[in-house]
Amino acid sequence: MWHPVGELPARVYWRRRVVVLAVVLALLGGVGWLAFSLLSARDGGASASDGAEAVPEPALERVVPSLTAVATPDPPPVAETVAEPPVAAPDPVPGGPCTDDMITLEVRTPGSVPVGSKPTFELAVANVAAVPCVRALDKGLQEIVMLDSAGNRVWGSNDCFPEASSDPRTLAPGEVVTVPLVWGGLTSEPTCSAPRVNPPPGSYLLRARLDTKVSPDATLTLV
């Protein structure tokens, strides 16, 4: 086999054998490369498939949990407030004291008087409760003041001639007690030390007080 015999020179036969051997080696190498390529392609597809199924979790999500994973506590239930019923005021006791809400107070005037005259005003106290009650009508607890249109004090019934008395009255339901009070027609102030003069013509307000009860304002016009 290794010593060819023939009519041709020996180098010709050796050259042919080398060519055949090279062709065989080339075929084997091609088959091997093809098999390797197929195996690589199959492994690469499997790796890509595995990579598509398992995506690595970002590092930030491994440290900070997502909002959906954080359990937020439910807000505490709001307690319902139950409105307490209003406390009813106790019924007036017959023969007890007349409180301010059991009486009305009114100052009555002639409406219009000349400057320098001495009109008489009336302090009217009425029991508007359903039971009789007692109210002190002492002179020291009664007062009428006069104010001008700007709200300045012009005169007060207790400024220069204060009086003292003790006069508890039992007022029947609906009863009205009227106390007269004369105005000297002059201005005054609480110390009665300022000169007293006739106020000028115009509109004035009169406001009465019986201890802690105050009346609505009444009008008086000096002409």
Side-chain angles (χ1 to χ4, degrees):
M1 179 178 179
W2 295 101
H3 302 282
V5 178
E7 298 178 356
L8 298 175
R11 64 177 178 274
V12 174
Y13 294 104
W14 280 109
R15 186 180 300 114
R16 290 177 179 176
R17 290 177 179 177
V18 169
V19 171
V20 172
L21 181 61
V23 171
V24 172
L25 291 176
L27 289 175
L28 292 175
V31 172
W33 178 83
L34 180 60
F36 177 78
S37 299
L38 292 175
L39 291 174
S40 299
R42 186 179 64 182
D43 294 341
S47 299
S49 177
D50 295 342
E53 292 179 358
V55 179
E57 185 180 10
L60 182 60
E61 293 188 2
R62 291 197 300 268
V63 178
V64 181
S66 64
L67 293 179
T68 56
V70 178
T72 57
D74 295 332
V78 179
E80 296 182 358
T81 57
V82 179
E84 296 182 359
V87 179
D91 295 333
V93 178
C98 297
T99 59
D100 286 349
D101 58 347
M102 295 173 65
I103 64 171
T104 61
L105 186 64
E106 179 187 4
V107 57
R108 299 172 180 174
T109 74
S112 178
V113 296
V115 173
S117 63
K118 298 181 179 181
T120 299
F121 306 135
E122 291 183 342
L123 194 65
V125 184
N127 178 8
V128 293
V131 296
C133 58
V134 179
R135 184 76 183 208
L137 301 183
D138 303 354
K139 292 292 186 181
L141 300 178
Q142 305 172 22
E143 184 180 27
I144 297 178
V145 296
M146 180 184 292
L147 308 171
D148 62 16
S149 58
N152 299 312
R153 193 175 188 275
V154 176
W155 165 80
S157 60
N158 292 341
D159 289 346
C160 297
F161 305 102
E163 299 182 51
S165 66
S166 178
D167 187 9
R169 297 282 186 95
T170 299
L171 305 177
E175 181 181 0
V176 179
V177 175
T178 302
V179 180
L181 195 151
V182 179
W183 174 43
L186 302 175
T187 61
S188 67
E189 46 87 25
T191 63
C192 202
S193 58
R196 304 186 65 191
V197 297
N198 293 320
S203 296
Y204 295 86
L205 296 177
L206 293 177
R207 187 177 301 160
R209 177 182 64 85
L210 178 62
D211 195 11
T212 55
K213 183 70 175 183
V214 179
S215 74
D217 292 340
T219 58
L220 177 71
T221 303
L222 298 181
V223 293

